[in-house]
Amino acid sequence: MALPHLGLIVPPAAGAVPVDGPLLYGERIRFSALGLGLGEISTRGYTEVIDSVVEKAVALKAQGACAVSLMGTSLSFFRGAAFNRQLEAEMARATGLPCTTMSNAIVGALRQLGVRRVAVATAYIDEVNAHLRRYLEQSGFEPLALQGLAISDVQAVGRVPTQVLVDLCLRVFDAQPGAEGILISCGGLVTLDAVREVEARLQLPVVSSSPAGFWDLVRTAGLDARSPGQGRLFAEA
């Protein structure tokens, strides 16, 4: 029997499948990716590539994908919640497939885990953090402390060490009391180890862009998104 085939639109030009997909779902699901060629993690960078998202979705359908996600958080939230919904609808209309975005993923994951008041750790510069705060507020969340690593280099985000991410999560949690969970935003960050460590230390749920993106796409395709041992989100039925 053929494996389910899911399509990913990713920011880097190389179009590689992010490492979290195989780590989470192993041999159960086949993923393929097409790259947008994002030049920098900024509004200017997003504006240069956002108009090619729908054609990438159509190309992934032609390759046999049965569902598609735009796996870029800031790419889908930078123009706000209404634009994210419109983009998802355009992808679905052009392909006839179930489609989603990484911005849908972080919202869906936070809701699944019962988090409304959230401490936010990001890779982003201040300009992008401001867009994220607005998107979260438009989506019904209360972002408390929100701090970023001020990275705009598309390749650099994948090299951020786990300990840097853990420290940032602890810092945003401590900065303002009352968070019910942590959000790590930026699909280029490699975060599964950090998620497990922060959940263990704070005894709170942690949602991170790339793992949540895979979780959301698998659910969008009507498949079982659980992956034992990979954090609270993946233990949920």
Side-chain angles (χ1 to χ4, degrees), residues 123-197:
Y124 310 133
I125 59 176
D126 289 345
E127 168 203 59
V128 180
N129 283 331
H131 292 313
L132 175 57
R133 180 179 289 278
R134 186 177 82 247
Y135 173 73
L136 290 171
E137 289 171 346
Q138 289 172 342
S139 303
F141 298 93
E142 185 179 347
L144 301 179
L146 192 159
Q147 296 179 25
L149 296 172
I151 299 172
S152 57
D153 183 300
V154 176
Q155 304 305 321
V157 287
R159 299 192 292 267
V160 176
T162 294
Q163 192 58 51
V164 170
L165 296 172
V166 170
D167 291 345
L168 180 60
C169 288
L170 298 178
R171 204 154 61 240
V172 294
F173 177 73
D174 288 339
Q176 191 172 337
E180 298 159 338
I182 310 288
L183 170 64
I184 306 172
S185 186
C186 181
L189 294 170
V190 179
T191 60
L192 279 174
D193 290 342
V195 168
R196 288 192 296 265
E197 184 172 340

Side-chain angles (χ1 to χ4, degrees), residues 48-181:
E48 289 172 352
V49 300
I50 195 69
D51 290 343
S52 60
V53 167
V54 171
E55 69 187 54
K56 299 291 184 187
V58 171
L60 285 162
K61 179 186 182 178
Q63 292 180 10
C66 64
V68 175
S69 179
L70 171 56
M71 294 284 279
T73 332
S74 47
L75 265 166
S76 42
F77 71 57
F78 83 105
R79 287 179 176 163
F83 176 80
N84 177 62
R85 290 191 294 271
Q86 177 189 335
L87 184 60
E88 176 194 347
E90 289 177 4
M91 291 164 63
R93 192 162 50 243
T95 61
L97 298 176
C99 291
T100 188
T101 72
M102 201 172 260
S103 291
N104 289 342
I106 60 171
V107 163
L110 289 168
R111 289 177 180 154
Q112 174 84 6
L113 294 167
V115 175
R116 192 185 72 82
R117 292 165 59 85
V118 61
V120 186
T122 83
Y124 310 133
I125 59 176
D126 289 345
E127 168 203 59
V128 180
N129 283 331
H131 292 313
L132 175 57
R133 180 179 289 278
R134 186 177 82 247
Y135 173 73
L136 290 171
E137 289 171 346
Q138 289 172 342
S139 303
F141 298 93
E142 185 179 347
L144 301 179
L146 192 159
Q147 296 179 25
L149 296 172
I151 299 172
S152 57
D153 183 300
V154 176
Q155 304 305 321
V157 287
R159 299 192 292 267
V160 176
T162 294
Q163 192 58 51
V164 170
L165 296 172
V166 170
D167 291 345
L168 180 60
C169 288
L170 298 178
R171 204 154 61 240
V172 294
F173 177 73
D174 288 339
Q176 191 172 337
E180 298 159 338

Side-chain angles (χ1 to χ4, degrees), residues 38-49 78 127:
L38 182 67
E40 63 179 45
I41 304 171
S42 69
T43 298
R44 182 174 64 183
Y46 310 143
T47 303
E48 289 172 352
V49 300
F78 83 105
E127 168 203 59

